[in-house]
C-alpha cells in the first residue's frame, strides 16, 4: 500500500516552454501533497504544500507564478513549471501524506532538463 | 539554524555488519515526529521507520531500529546485518507544525552508506 506515482519520470524541454508534472496517490486518498526539489547530492527542499481544494502554500523564496500547483482531487496534484529556464533543471519529487502517522510517501521523481 | 543534523556524509560498512547512522534534531515543539528515508540511486524516497516524540519505546521495523534518546535530541538509525542492497543515501527528517497550520518535513543533509562485500 501507500504507492505514489509521478509522471513523467524524465522530461527535456526547450527554454521558455511550460512543463506539467503529475503526482498521484494510487491506493489511498491524500488531502495534502507536497512538492520538493532536489539538487545533485543535496537534500530535499520543500517548495510547496498542496491541500485539496485550496490554494497551495509556498515556501519562502519559491515563485508562485513560476511553479503553479493544482490539487484538484484527493489523488492528484500537478506542478507546472512555467516558462522554464535552464536554472529550473532539477529533480522534482512529490509526496502524499497518509498512513497512521501522517507519513509522507514519495513518488519516484521527475528529472527536468531545460535546454 | 539547522534543525536536523546528520554529521556523517559517507560511511563504508562491511556486509553483514550492523551500522548506525546518526541524526540529531532541534525543536521547541513538544509534539513532533522523526522519520528515516532511504534514497537509492534510482531517486525514489523509501520510508523506513517512524518515531513519535511521545513514544516510550524505540521503533523497530524488520532490520531497522531507531535509537531514540529524547533528552539528547538524537534519533539514530540502526541497520542490523547489512546487505549490499542497503547501499543508498539515508535521510533523517522531522515533522513539525507550521504557522499556517500545516505540517512539514525538514530533512537532514543525508548520509551515503556503502556496503562492501
Amino acid at each position: 500500500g501507500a504507492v505514489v506515482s509521478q509522471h513523467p519520470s524524465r522530461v527535456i524541454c526547450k527554454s521558455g516552454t511550460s512543463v506539467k508534472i503529475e503526482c498521484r496517490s494510487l491506493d489511498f486518498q491524500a488531502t495534502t501533497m507536497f512538492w520538493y526539489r532536489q539538487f545533485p547530492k543535496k537534500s530535499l527542499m520543500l517548495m510547496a504544500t498542496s491541500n485539496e481544494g485550496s490554494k497551495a502554500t509556498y515556501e519562502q523564496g519559491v515563485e508562485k507564478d513560476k511553479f503553479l500547483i493544482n490539487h484538484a482531487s484527493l489523488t492528484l496534484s500537478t506542478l507546472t513549471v512555467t516558462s522554464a529556464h535552464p536554472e529550473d533543471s532539477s529533480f522534482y519529487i512529490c509526496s502524499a501524506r497518509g498512513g497512521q502517522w501522517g507519513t509522507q510517501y514519495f513518488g519516484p521523481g521527475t528529472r527536468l532538463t531545460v535546454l | 539554524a539547522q534543525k536536523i543534523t546528520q554529521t556523517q556524509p559517507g560511511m563504508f560498512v562491511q556486509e553483514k555488519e550492523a551500522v548506525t547512522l546518526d541524526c540529531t534534531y532541534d525543536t521547541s515543539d513538544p509534539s513532533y515526529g522523526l522519520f528515516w528515508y532511504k534514497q537509492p540511486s534510482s531517486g525514489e524516497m523509501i520510508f523506513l521507520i517512524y518515531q513519535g516524540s511521545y513514544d516510550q519505546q524505540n521503533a523497530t521495523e524488520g532490520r531497522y531500529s531507531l535509537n531514540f534518546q529524547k533528552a539528547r535530541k538524537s534519533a539514530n538509525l540502526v541497520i542490523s546485518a547489512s546487505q549490499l542492497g542497503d547501499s543508498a543515501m539515508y535521510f533523517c527528517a522531522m515533522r513539525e507544525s507550521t504557522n499556517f497550520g500545516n505540517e512539514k518535513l525538514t530533512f537532514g543533509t543525508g548520509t551515503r552508506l556503502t556496503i562492501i562485500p
Side-chain angles (χ1 to χ4, degrees):
Chain A
V3 179
V4 176
S5 70
Q6 205 171 322
H7 179 80
S9 58
R10 188 180 295 267
V11 58
I12 301 172
C13 68
K14 291 183 179 179
S15 187
T17 59
S18 293
V19 175
K20 181 186 279 190
I21 303 170
E22 291 187 349
C23 178
R24 293 180 185 273
S25 56
L26 297 184
D27 52 1
F28 67 103
Q29 293 185 329
T31 54
T32 306
M33 291 184 172
F34 303 84
W35 288 94
Y36 294 85
R37 185 171 178 176
Q38 187 178 29
F39 291 102
K41 299 186 179 180
K42 297 291 184 182
S43 188
L44 277 72
M45 193 176 68
L46 180 65
M47 297 174 66
T49 302
S50 166
N51 288 302
E52 187 264 338
S54 63
K55 290 184 178 180
T57 303
Y58 290 81
E59 294 299 299
Q60 195 172 6
V62 177
E63 297 177 59
K64 300 179 184 181
D65 296 331
K66 180 156 190 68
F67 298 100
L68 300 179
I69 291 172
N70 183 271
H71 193 160
S73 78
L74 288 173
T75 58
L76 174 64
S77 176
T78 60
L79 168 69
T80 301
V81 183
T82 62
S83 187
H85 288 97
E87 57 265 30
D88 299 324
S89 298
S90 191
F91 187 65
Y92 293 87
I93 188 165
C94 72
S95 71
R97 190 168 70 196
Q100 60 184 114
W101 304 303
T103 302
Q104 288 187 30
Y105 296 96
F106 286 81
T110 297
R111 188 159 304 282
L112 171 64
T113 303
V114 185
L115 303 176
Chain B
Q2 193 163 1
K3 294 191 172 184
I4 294 284
T5 303
Q6 293 181 255
T7 57
Q8 306 151 313
M11 286 187 73
F12 290 84
V13 173
Q14 203 74 39
E15 189 180 7
K16 298 181 183 176
E17 288 186 353
V19 56
T20 298
L21 304 180
D22 295 340
C23 173
T24 57
Y25 59 92
D26 184 28
T27 181
S28 56
D29 194 338
S31 178
Y32 53 89
L34 297 158
F35 298 80
W36 276 92
Y37 286 87
K38 172 184 178 181
Q39 188 178 39
S41 56
S42 55
E44 80 257 42
M45 294 283 284
I46 302 167
F47 165 65
L48 297 178
I49 196 166
Y50 168 80
Q51 181 84 44
S53 58
Y54 295 118
D55 293 344
Q56 295 294 316
Q57 294 189 327
N58 287 341
T60 60
E61 191 68 49
R63 292 187 301 113
Y64 304 108
S65 60
L66 204 150
N67 184 2
F68 181 47
Q69 297 189 41
K70 194 170 183 178
R72 294 185 180 182
K73 293 189 175 179
S74 76
N76 298 340
L77 176 70
V78 180
I79 306 174
S80 63
S82 58
Q83 303 170 356
L84 295 178
D86 294 333
S87 294
M89 196 75 170
Y90 288 81
F91 290 98
C92 178
M94 178 171 63
R95 183 187 62 217
E96 294 182 291
S97 299
T98 70
N99 293 333
F100 302 103
N102 287 323
E103 293 181 340
K104 72 175 196 179
L105 285 183
T106 301
F107 285 85
T109 51
T111 296
R112 180 164 298 281
L113 175 64
T114 303
I115 306 300
I116 305 166

